[in-house]
Amino acid sequence: MAQSGVSVTPDCITQFNDLKLGKSIKWIIYKISDTWKEIVVEETSTTGDYEAFREKLVNAKSKGKDGKEGKGPRYAVFDLEYDATGGEGKRSKITFIAWSPDDALLMVWVTEQSTLRLNELADKNTQPKMMYSSSKDALKRSLNGLAADVQANDEDDIEYDTVIKKVSRGR
């Protein structure tokens, strides 16, 4: 369980293992559930269309307890295939992406189990980014076999060429 009190559902791990071992799934997008208690699979795809994947992240929405909707953070895993520099052939890296746009919707959080005492912050405008940030490591620890990690806060951070540059350097 994450510091935020959010748990990872078994389906998150099952889908990841299908991507890692079966290679039929090319990407997975995860989100924190509407109840803010668990990380769930939002969508998977068997096509390696990076632009479609990127658009899903850019257009992701989150809803606050007050019912307002706005830009939302997400976690994602993409099985990236790219040409190695220097003509060394094709490479493949399973890449974790933490998408947390700088302009994500401001909303108020109240959680019952939070070890971070988020209930004490309930009277303040706290971003969903805070919940995603404090839950990220729990998901990453559950997904054995990640080769790269990308933190993305604006649309340029998840451009294909930008991600490939980060991944090919081992970051």
Side-chain angles (χ1 to χ4, degrees):
M1 184 174 295
Q3 288 180 326
S4 62
V6 174
S7 63
V8 178
T9 62
D11 188 45
C12 293
I13 299 163
T14 300
Q15 294 292 337
F16 176 76
N17 287 335
D18 286 350
L19 177 144
K20 182 174 73 171
L21 303 172
K23 297 289 186 182
S24 62
I25 295 175
K26 289 298 192 183
W27 54 261
I28 305 166
I29 296 176
Y30 302 94
K31 72 174 196 165
I32 296 178
S33 67
D34 293 340
T35 63
W36 300 100
K37 294 183 179 184
E38 56 190 10
I39 298 170
V40 299
V41 172
E42 181 175 45
E43 186 172 348
T44 65
S45 177
T46 57
T47 68
D49 183 350
Y50 188 84
E51 283 307 310
F53 164 78
R54 184 183 175 281
E55 284 303 308
K56 298 278 184 180
L57 291 179
V58 168
N59 294 313
K61 302 287 184 201
S62 289
K63 191 178 285 191
K65 293 197 180 248
D66 60 1
K68 290 183 182 175
E69 187 175 81
K71 275 192 172 183
R74 291 294 188 272
Y75 309 114
V77 174
F78 198 103
D79 187 5
L80 279 173
E81 293 183 11
Y82 61 96
D83 292 317
T85 57
E88 295 177 20
K90 291 258 184 215
R91 297 284 188 263
S92 177
K93 286 195 179 176
I94 298 175
T95 305
F96 182 87
I97 299 172
W99 168 243
S100 189
D102 288 329
D103 56 350
L105 176 70
L106 291 172
M107 53 182 87
V108 176
W109 302 108
V110 178
T111 64
E112 299 167 352
Q113 301 172 330
S114 176
T115 57
L116 292 178
R117 301 181 188 264
L118 290 178
N119 342 1
E120 294 173 12
L121 298 174
D123 59 334
K124 300 177 182 172
N125 246 0
T126 311
Q127 293 185 352
K129 294 184 345 174
M130 189 174 188
M131 182 68 85
Y132 273 80
S133 176
S134 62
S135 303
K136 177 175 93 170
D137 286 338
L139 179 59
K140 283 178 59 177
R141 279 192 307 272
S142 299
L143 306 177
N144 295 317
L146 294 170
D149 185 349
V150 174
Q151 176 64 48
N153 299 100
D154 68 40
E155 294 183 26
D156 291 341
D157 292 341
I158 55 173
E159 288 289 341
Y160 180 78
D161 291 339
T162 304
V163 172
I164 292 300
K165 282 179 190 173
K166 290 178 184 179
V167 167
S168 64
R169 284 185 272 173
R171 286 184 229 150

